[in-house]
Amino acid sequence: VLVDDIIDTGLGVCKAGLAVKEKGAKVVVACATHGIFSGDALKNIEEAAINEVAVTNSIPLRADTRSKKIVSILSIHILLGETIRRIHNDESLSSLYST
């Protein structure tokens, strides 16, 4: 599992994905908070043999990106809304983010 904050061009996760594949990884999943996917990012990611890319819906994704089977989109709207509500009401956030 590769974790990053943003996937823009995809070059970072591509290099990391190829490196772990060379070390014997059978499946590579890349996760990021923000999926921008500029230019040929998805093509590059698919060619780097990354099996899945999971991103949040923190920014809107293009329709062609959303339709790719390799891309999973995790909804964070409830978590963000509750965070904003608690901040506005001067309530604790720690219980929201603890496991």
Side-chain angles (χ1 to χ4, degrees):
V1 175
L2 307 172
V3 180
D4 207 344
D5 56 348
I6 297 172
I7 297 176
D8 186 359
T9 62
L11 296 177
V13 294
C14 288
K15 288 179 184 177
L18 289 171
V20 297
K21 285 275 184 157
E22 288 175 4
K23 295 292 183 181
K26 304 274 189 265
V27 175
V28 178
V29 178
C31 305
T33 304
H34 313 289
I36 298 173
F37 302 109
S38 299
D40 290 332
L42 283 173
K43 179 181 172 230
N44 296 335
I45 289 168
E46 290 173 333
E47 289 175 359
I50 293 176
N51 302 87
E52 182 180 359
V53 179
V55 295
T56 70
N57 61 346
S58 63
I59 59 173
L61 297 176
R62 295 185 322 253
D64 63 325
T65 301
R66 288 192 315 267
S67 66
K68 293 279 188 178
K69 290 185 180 190
I70 194 173
V71 177
S72 296
I73 304 167
L74 307 172
S75 180
I76 59 170
H77 71 280
I78 292 173
L79 182 62
L80 287 178
E82 182 62 15
T83 300
I84 292 167
R85 187 194 68 74
R86 288 182 185 206
I87 290 170
H88 180 74
N89 292 325
D90 199 27
E91 297 175 15
S92 172
L93 296 178
S94 61
S95 63
L96 186 59
Y97 294 100
S98 63
T99 54

